[in-house]
């Protein structure tokens, strides 16, 4: 069995639950946030540092790794775990989202997607079978079905057609993956922002019997209340005994709201991306430490944080590093933002355990400034 | 007393010696290599990592810190140690070398140097007194006299004149620094590539009674055998009981040749700079890990190295990171090159202790490929 999932506790007043997900690379306590390691590295972080912020599973991007250095090379290196020296769990996406984001550079058919590399313009073709083959070579613990992720906004007909393609591709992925027992393949629910399509997609995908399910195609530009209402339509149709993963979502508010609606897994580039732009997530909201107002602020990024960055360095120093384009600046903000987010997940778990998640949300939102 | 220096052992067959340098921030075992932290950070490294590669003292650049974030700000932060969270020793240069490297952007007079910032073009003036004032504000354990570093090649008259200015400025620096007891001010010997000028400069500067002496103006483009012959002329005139510092020199061969000629301290950006360009220093010479030949080389940068980089990551992975412009690539090569260099200094010290430095040099050069 590639994956085991147990629900340990269900919140009485919300859809939230505490769970335990076991992969060949260890135990993951859910709800969990997965830092994104697009190209075989979570930007600016070592695996050791990822462990020290509490990461139990990270995400790799199939599209990027397929193009460079190539999945065959990574397979010869012993798989992605070995290649990047990360011995805990990994989830890879299917490459679908990145490929569809290429716009004019790609063409979709029932068979799959023809596209051009954003690096060198070379031509490629990814089908459901190919996406599974690449992910089998990468060797992540959890791999994702190849889906079509429609843009936002998207008309109803496009959304329905896209949902149907996603369902057919999901079956083909399952078939292609049939003989691989060490990796768990998750199905993805689509349906854009249409409630009936979300429900239909959930029924279609869950009927196929995957070991876990994702909600895809959200956080692509739609207002957050639409995202939350889509979750409310979809999650109740996803089996309670399987992990539920909300793809590409990870702002602090959406983490809390997602957990409340029954989501177990999240990933997002937000934490690491805004870190590199000089923005810290703190217990009192965002601090844009690049700003001149912090030039002589010798206090830490977040006075309530006990991470290495906040224990050792001031806002003034970090601002200086960022202004001077020093690598250490990006390291310190990235480390802090991941520590903050993993810490937030810890607090969410504690709140579920103590049956006070709604109160925790209200307190957090007030302090954070939502 | 800001500085204590003891020679623990002198090599019988060369000018090399083992020593112990005590500053208010700890003991430094000489001969020592000082990693360069130009702008308040050794590029890509944390202070903790610097300690783990064995760094006992690092260098800060007065010119860069004066312009950004400014010495007054650093003083208000509690000095450079506190600002960058480094509790071991620091040496700052005087800013002279950087200012003179500005070419058309600077104008030298007996009083000092007018120059324009390379960042924003703003006008500035640094005199010997100002260089000391800035370094007093930065608060390094060892600070350097403001000297004129002539370019290479340089005609005799220019070199003589420059040497005379350096001597006058050395006196003014001593006078300006008179009341600061917690920092040690080193004098700098100049004289370009002219033996008689080097000797005269050594006599001039050592007559002033500094607690340590540097040889400046070398490794500025002249052939290495000229650099070594300048050391042979100069070092014997520098008092044996004081530390001797060869500025801006740090290639593996020059470290060994410098120690053999009686040098105790070195600094160089080479290690960290070539690391960022994808070149590793190894026990078998340089490895340009960016090269295509390493694309599927799953062995470590240096098979004989036990650093974190070589223990955990392959050349293929590091090459992938560098090609993809991932920060972790720069971190891993930088860490390794500093570990290699500090390790080389350890082996040099061991060889002095065991009276086999000339043999060590021959073996090292053969293996390294000089």
């Amino acid at each position: 069995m590639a994956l085991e999932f147990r629900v340990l506790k269900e919140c009485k007043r919300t859809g939230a639950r505490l769970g335990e997900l076991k992969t060949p690379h260890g135990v993951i306590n859910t709800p969990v946030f997965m830092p994104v390691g697009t190209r075989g590295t979570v930007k600016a972080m070592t695996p050791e540092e990822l462990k020290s912020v509490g990461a139990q599973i990270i995400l790799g991007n199939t599209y990027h790794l397929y193009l460079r250095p190539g999945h065959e090379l990574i397979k010869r290196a012993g798989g992605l775990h070995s290649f990047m020296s990360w011995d805990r769990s990994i989830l890879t996406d299917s490459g679908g989202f990145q490929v569809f984001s290429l716009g004019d550079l790609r063409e979709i058919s029932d068979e799959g997607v023809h596209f051009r590399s954003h690096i060198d313009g070379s031509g490629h073709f990814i089908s459901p079978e190919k996406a599974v083959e690449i992910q089998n070579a990468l060797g992540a613990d959890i791999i994702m079905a190849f889906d079509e992720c429609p843009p936002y906004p998207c008309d109803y007909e496009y959304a329905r057609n896209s949902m149907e393609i996603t369902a057919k591709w999901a079956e083909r992925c399952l078939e292609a993956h049939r003989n691989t027992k060490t990796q768990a393949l998750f199905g993805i629910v689509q349906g854009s922002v249409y409630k009936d399509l979300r429900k239909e997609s959930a029924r279609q995908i869950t009927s196929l019997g995957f070991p876990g399910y994702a909600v895809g195609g959200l956080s692509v530009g739609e207002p957050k209340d639409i995202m939350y209402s889509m979750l409310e339509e979809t999650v109740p149709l996803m089996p309670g005994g399987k992990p539920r993963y909300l793809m590409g979502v990870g702002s602090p508010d959406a983490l809390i709201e997602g957990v409340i609606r029954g989501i177990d897994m999240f990933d997002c580039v937000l934490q690491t991306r805004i870190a590199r732009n000089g923005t810290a997530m703190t217990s009192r909201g965002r601090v844009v430490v690049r700003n001149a107002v912090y030039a002589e602020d010798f206090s830490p990024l977040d006075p309530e944080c006990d991470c290495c960055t906040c224990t050792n360095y001031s806002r003034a120093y970090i601002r200086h590093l960022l202004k001077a384009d020093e690598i250490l600046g990006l390291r310190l903000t990235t480390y802090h933002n991941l520590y903050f987010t993993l810490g937030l997940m810890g607090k969410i778990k504690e709140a579920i355990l103590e049956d006070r998640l709604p109160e925790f949300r209200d307190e957090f939102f007030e302090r954070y400034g939502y």
Side-chain angles (χ1 to χ4, degrees), chain A residues 289-306:
Chain A
V289 70
R290 282 190 81 95
N291 285 350
V293 67
Y294 300 114
E296 301 224 9
D297 185 338
F298 299 120
S299 67
L301 284 181
D302 184 349
E304 294 175 36
C305 179
D306 61 355

Side-chain angles (χ1 to χ4, degrees), chain A residues 23-44:
Chain A
T23 79
H25 287 88
V27 171
I28 298 153
N29 303 104
T30 63
V32 65
F33 175 80
M34 305 182 284
V36 180
T38 302
R39 299 185 289 205
T41 165
V42 174
K43 286 191 193 304

Side-chain angles (χ1 to χ4, degrees), chain A residues 311-336:
Chain A
T311 311
N312 292 302
Y313 308 95
S314 67
R315 293 170 173 184
Y317 180 60
I318 293 169
R319 175 177 188 271
H320 161 66
L321 294 177
L322 293 168
K323 297 287 285 182
D325 285 327
E326 286 287 350
I327 289 166
L328 184 57
L330 313 178
R331 289 184 56 180
L332 298 180
T333 51
T334 299
Y335 187 95
H336 168 79

Side-chain angles (χ1 to χ4, degrees), chain A residues 170-201:
Chain A
E171 280 197 69
R172 285 166 56 188
C173 285
L174 264 181
E175 176 61 23
H177 186 63
R178 210 157 38 99
N179 295 319
T180 308
K181 303 294 180 208
T182 53
Q183 299 176 290
L185 173 67
F186 279 23
I188 304 175
V189 173
Q190 289 288 352
S192 185
V193 294
Y194 303 103
K195 292 183 181 180
D196 62 320
L197 296 183
R198 282 279 165 189
K199 284 183 185 175
E200 191 171 340
S201 182

Side-chain angles (χ1 to χ4, degrees), chain A residues 101-330:
Chain A
S101 305
L102 289 172
D104 290 348
L105 290 174
R106 50 86 176 158
E107 199 177 330
I108 307 170
S109 70
D110 279 0
E111 242 344 270
V113 187
H114 286 274
F115 66 96
R116 297 206 165 273
S117 156
H118 74 286
I119 302 172
D120 60 9
S122 55
H124 300 269
F125 176 69
I126 293 188
S127 60
E129 292 76 16
K130 182 76 186 176
V132 168
E133 180 200 321
I134 298 168
Q135 291 184 87
N136 288 162
L138 296 175
D141 302 278
I142 300 173
I143 71 175
M144 302 303 296
F146 191 64
D147 59 336
E148 202 211 317
C149 180
Y152 177 84
C154 157
D155 67 44
Y156 187 84
E157 278 318 300
Y158 187 100
R160 162 165 286 287
N161 187 47
S162 164
M163 178 198 75
E164 296 293 355
I165 289 178
T166 291
K168 282 179 205 149
W169 287 359
E171 280 197 69
R172 285 166 56 188
C173 285
L174 264 181
E175 176 61 23
H177 186 63
R178 210 157 38 99
N179 295 319
T180 308
K181 303 294 180 208
T182 53
Q183 299 176 290
L185 173 67
F186 279 23
I188 304 175
V189 173
Q190 289 288 352
S192 185
V193 294
Y194 303 103
K195 292 183 181 180
D196 62 320
L197 296 183
R198 282 279 165 189
K199 284 183 185 175
E200 191 171 340
S201 182
R203 281 188 213 103
Q204 286 175 338
I205 300 297
T206 57
S207 74
L208 298 174
F210 288 93
Y213 296 95
V215 181
L218 292 178
S219 197
V220 290
E222 81 285 359
K224 276 187 175 163
D225 56 351
I226 291 187
M227 173 167 87
Y228 299 145
S229 79
M230 290 302 120
L231 289 181
E232 287 157 15
E233 298 298 326
T234 312
V235 172
L237 300 173
M238 296 161 76
K242 303 284 175 70
R244 302 171 186 142
Y245 163 29
L246 177 54
M247 302 184 78
V249 172
S251 61
D253 54 333
L255 290 173
I256 298 173
E257 298 288 3
V259 168
I260 283 176
R261 288 163 178 80
I263 297 296
D264 307 301
M265 304 167 67
F266 302 85
D267 78 283
C268 199
V269 295
L270 178 77
Q271 282 67 10
T272 46
R273 183 170 291 162
I274 66 173
R276 296 196 305 282
N277 291 331
T279 298
M281 293 172 161
T282 81
S283 48
R284 299 284 173 170
R286 292 193 184 184
V287 169
V288 185
V289 70
R290 282 190 81 95
N291 285 350
V293 67
Y294 300 114
E296 301 224 9
D297 185 338
F298 299 120
S299 67
L301 284 181
D302 184 349
E304 294 175 36
C305 179
D306 61 355
C307 82
C308 293
T309 298
C310 292
T311 311
N312 292 302
Y313 308 95
S314 67
R315 293 170 173 184
Y317 180 60
I318 293 169
R319 175 177 188 271
H320 161 66
L321 294 177
L322 293 168
K323 297 287 285 182
D325 285 327
E326 286 287 350
I327 289 166
L328 184 57
L330 313 178

